[in-house]
Each structure stands twice: as C-alpha cells, then as structure tokens.
Amino acid sequence: MTEILIKRLSKEVSLPKYETNGSSGMDLAANIDANINIDPGKTAIIPTGLALSIPKGFEVQIRPRSGLAAKQKITVLNTPGTIDADYRGEIKVILINLGQEPFKVEKGLRIAQMVVCPIVQAQLKEVDDLS
C-alpha cells in the first residue's frame, strides 16, 4: 500500500478513510466556519482543512460523490481535479450546483472523494506522419 503523508490544517477536521475494503476513494469533508450557499448554476470553492505530501509517480484525483450528484445535482466542476505530487497547499474542492434549488454546504458535509492514482510521464517525439 502506498503511504501518503497528510496534515490537518485544523484540529476539527476528520481524516479521510476508505469506508469499505473495496472502496477506491476516500471522502473529503467541508472545513468551513459558516455555511456556504451555492445557488443554481453557481460555483463555490470549499476548503477541506487538509494538505498532502504525495509521492512522486502518483497523483490524487478529486471526484464527485455519486449521492450528491444524483440526489442534489452537486458535482465537482473540474472533475477529476488533479492534485500533483509537488503541491503542498490545502486541498480545496470546486463544487457546482447543476440543480434548480440553492444548496447549503455545512461544516463536515462530505463533498467529494479522493482517489490515489499512479502517473506515467511520457516523452513526446514529433513526427511528420502517424501510423
């Protein structure tokens, strides 16, 4: 299993965890002082209070939670969002409301999931023709 170092930027933040042995993602929760309302068609950047040290050769992808998407029409705008191995800042999630009603983000609400993925870097070679 790959080890990723994680730092809580707030003592109130719960660490993400796999909910089952078969889970591919860990849920991220909102770490906010006051509720954030997202009107229909609008976006909001939601802090998680977490920072990571991802090993070289890996990325963390930020993906929507299917329950929020299906029931509330809330999704991650730049899905999947990528957290590169050299980023050390706070993880923040860009949510968009695709529904018809305002959506309220409350402290501790599970807003997205993160998935650890291996990365292969390629060297590009310019050619005149492709097979």
Side-chain angles (χ1 to χ4, degrees), residues 21-89:
N21 288 337
S23 295
S24 59
M26 296 177 263
D27 288 341
L28 293 171
N31 181 46
I32 51 180
D33 294 326
N35 294 342
I36 296 174
N37 290 311
I38 307 174
D39 290 327
K42 300 297 183 185
T43 63
I45 298 174
I46 310 298
T48 66
L50 299 170
L52 302 174
S53 177
I54 304 166
K56 186 174 169 87
F58 290 88
E59 71 167 333
V60 168
Q61 293 183 357
I62 306 302
R63 301 180 183 179
R65 291 193 61 241
S66 57
L68 276 182
K71 296 174 186 168
Q72 305 292 332
K73 309 297 185 260
I74 301 298
T75 191
V76 176
L77 182 61
N78 62 326
T79 192
T82 295
I83 302 172
D84 294 309
D86 59 356
Y87 179 72
R88 296 293 182 269

